[in-house]
Amino acid sequence: MVSRSSNRGRVRNRFHIMVKPGGPICNLDCGYCYYLNKTELYPGKKKFRMSEQLLGKFIRSYIASHPGPNVIFPWHGGEPTMLGLDFFRKAVALQQKYLPSGWKCINVPQTNGTLLDEEWCEFFIENNFAVGISIDGPAEFHDVHRPDNRGKPTHDRCMKALRMLLDFGVPTSVLCTVNGTNVKAPLEVYRFFREQGVTSIQFLPIVSPIGEGKVSTQSVSSSDYGHFLTAIFEEWLRLDIGKVSVQIIEECLAKQRGKAGSLCLYQEKCGDSIAMEHNGDLFACDHFVTSEWKLGNLNERSMRSMVESPKMKEFARAKKTSLPAFCLACDVKDMCNGGCPKDRIITTPDGEPGLNYLCEGLGQFFRHVRSRMEVVLSDSVESEPLEGVSDRPGRNAQCPCGSGRKYKKCCGDKDVLVS
């Protein structure tokens, strides 16, 4: 381990590089995946694997570019576990080689779980890994969009991996896409994960543009997405404060406490989540892996020069400066900040372009959460279900999910509340 401790020359602000050591190659063929077609960036190439030389250069540069003492390595793809355990053993050895004294690396692979076994889990535990696993809820939702590349269902394999990770005590978070199939069953999806013992969940809305402000059938509708989030928030509020972490709810809590939050989606500017392909190409964002937003290549330029380049600064500023007037005047602008630029594909009511496709649903959710934050943030709230909000609504009362429908015709019609 390196004994140096000086921060001289380090990039001042924290950022994460979502490194894709195996490029876009995956053993699943998810219908909504936005990354599988990135093979087109490298025409004629069949082998997508980061070289050992580049791996060492990346790890050394990444550690040197951070203020410390914790350096998070997010490993993405494609499917990163397709590179095998030996690749990650080498990565850990290189991290230890270049890590300053007193510092720690936290490796966070995002995986579909289908290739994991006990050997992987033992390695994760021994080397301080936290794992994100992608599952879309019960099998009837998951298998619609997440077959393997032979067209076979994957839910059973993913759930086996989830159970192994939890049994071994690996810190595990579930990433669940919210799509046109599961968005109608928010409590079924949420309770499914809770019943598995999952305590950390991220919900990622699928918005797949097909031109002129329209989206694919796999995408969520904006209003349904708001309904989905609000129903889960109310369930979490009744039963799971201090027990289950839901990323977007944590973001709301941070904002309400006057903190910046951690999700790039809802920050004023972009630039915290950079993507790096298997060959060292750096891009401004995981969702903007295009020739337009390529910052350079690690084999040709320093990481610092790319992260602090005029092009990167332009990309970061554009999120704020391109907001339409409708957003600037919005009462939850501080919570949303226009959302992710990739989703700004529709026009405002007065015809100005650049409105987020999810605006209606996000606005409904953020307003609902804000109205309930006094309860959530009260000093009496610890980890027990809250008094006064644990009873189910009357059947003719308005549903707390924010749909505008009566409870008996909405969540009460399809879900039995947990006692």
Side-chain angles (χ1 to χ4, degrees), residues 57-100:
K57 189 167 190 174
F58 162 66
I59 287 173
R60 183 173 187 174
S61 300
Y62 193 50
I63 290 173
S65 297
H66 275 66
N70 296 323
V71 186
I72 298 173
F73 281 80
W75 303 94
H76 283 243
E79 174 52 44
T81 62
M82 289 182 70
L83 279 77
L85 253 178
D86 284 345
F87 177 89
F88 288 95
R89 289 190 178 105
K90 183 62 178 178
V92 168
L94 287 165
Q95 288 168 353
Q96 294 306 309
K97 178 179 178 181
Y98 296 122
L99 205 62

Side-chain angles (χ1 to χ4, degrees), residues 95-389:
Q95 288 168 353
Q96 294 306 309
K97 178 179 178 181
Y98 296 122
L99 205 62
S101 178
W103 285 30
K104 180 170 69 173
C105 285
I106 303 169
N107 290 283
V108 189
Q110 184 65 41
T111 177
N112 59 47
T114 58
L115 301 178
L116 298 185
D117 57 20
E118 291 188 357
E119 187 178 9
W120 276 99
C121 293
E122 289 169 354
F123 173 79
F124 291 152
I125 281 291
E126 290 168 1
N127 293 284
N128 195 38
F129 276 57
V131 175
I133 185 167
S134 300
I135 304 173
D136 284 354
E140 61 265 30
F141 302 134
H142 176 98
D143 284 333
V144 171
H145 302 292
R146 297 184 63 81
D148 64 21
N149 49 25
R150 297 173 298 168
K152 303 294 184 182
T154 61
H155 189 263
D156 287 349
R157 283 174 277 171
C158 295
M159 291 305 299
K160 180 181 178 181
L162 174 63
R163 285 189 287 270
M164 275 195 299
L165 290 166
L166 296 176
D167 287 347
F168 272 83
V170 178
T172 303
S173 179
V174 165
L175 174 63
C176 173
T177 73
V178 188
N179 52 66
T181 303
N182 63 9
V183 70
K184 299 289 188 180
L187 297 187
E188 185 178 351
V189 170
Y190 179 69
R191 290 170 183 168
F192 173 79
F193 291 129
R194 187 175 58 196
E195 288 163 5
Q196 310 305 315
V198 174
T199 58
S200 177
I201 311 171
Q202 304 171 47
F203 291 109
L204 178 68
I206 295 300
V207 180
S208 300
I210 55 176
E212 298 181 355
K214 297 180 181 179
V215 298
S216 71
T217 56
Q218 295 173 333
S219 303
V220 295
S221 79
S222 182
S223 59
D224 282 348
Y225 184 54
H227 173 202
F228 181 95
L229 293 177
T230 306
I232 288 173
F233 173 78
E234 285 296 320
E235 178 86 342
W236 174 86
L237 189 65
R238 288 190 327 107
L239 298 170
D240 294 327
I241 292 178
K243 299 176 183 178
V244 178
S245 171
V246 180
Q247 189 182 48
I248 193 168
I249 296 176
E250 297 293 335
E251 190 74 6
C252 292
L253 291 172
K255 293 286 184 73
Q256 198 68 16
R257 291 184 174 114
K259 298 180 180 179
S262 59
L263 267 175
C264 63
L265 301 177
Y266 307 118
Q267 303 302 308
E268 273 196 327
K269 297 180 180 181
C270 291
D272 291 339
S273 296
I274 300 163
M276 191 177 90
E277 259 293 338
H278 68 291
N279 66 339
D281 287 344
L282 253 69
F283 298 87
C285 172
D286 179 55
H287 287 283
F288 290 85
V289 176
T290 64
S291 56
E292 178 185 4
W293 292 111
K294 180 180 172 181
L295 305 175
N297 186 285
L298 191 59
N299 289 310
E300 300 165 357
R301 297 182 59 186
S302 71
M303 185 173 291
R304 177 170 184 164
S305 72
M306 290 185 283
V307 171
E308 296 186 340
S309 67
K311 179 176 280 193
M312 188 67 230
K313 291 177 181 177
E314 176 192 353
F315 180 84
R317 285 193 303 265
K319 181 179 182 182
K320 181 178 181 180
T321 59
S322 64
L323 272 180
F326 181 82
C327 293
L328 294 174
C330 180
D331 61 315
V332 290
K333 185 261 178 186
D334 61 318
M335 303 277 285
C336 175
N337 286 305
C340 184
K342 77 177 179 65
D343 296 331
R344 296 180 183 180
I345 60 172
I346 60 174
T347 58
T348 66
D350 58 0
E352 187 178 0
L355 184 64
N356 194 306
Y357 168 82
L358 296 170
C359 174
E360 179 186 349
L362 288 174
Q364 179 262 311
F365 170 68
F366 287 136
R367 290 182 187 98
H368 180 86
V369 171
R370 180 169 279 174
S371 73
R372 304 286 269 154
M373 276 299 171
E374 187 175 337
V375 180
V376 181
L377 298 176
S378 66
D379 291 338
S380 62
V381 172
E382 293 295 339
S383 59
E384 296 299 320
L386 297 176
E387 273 190 43
V389 296

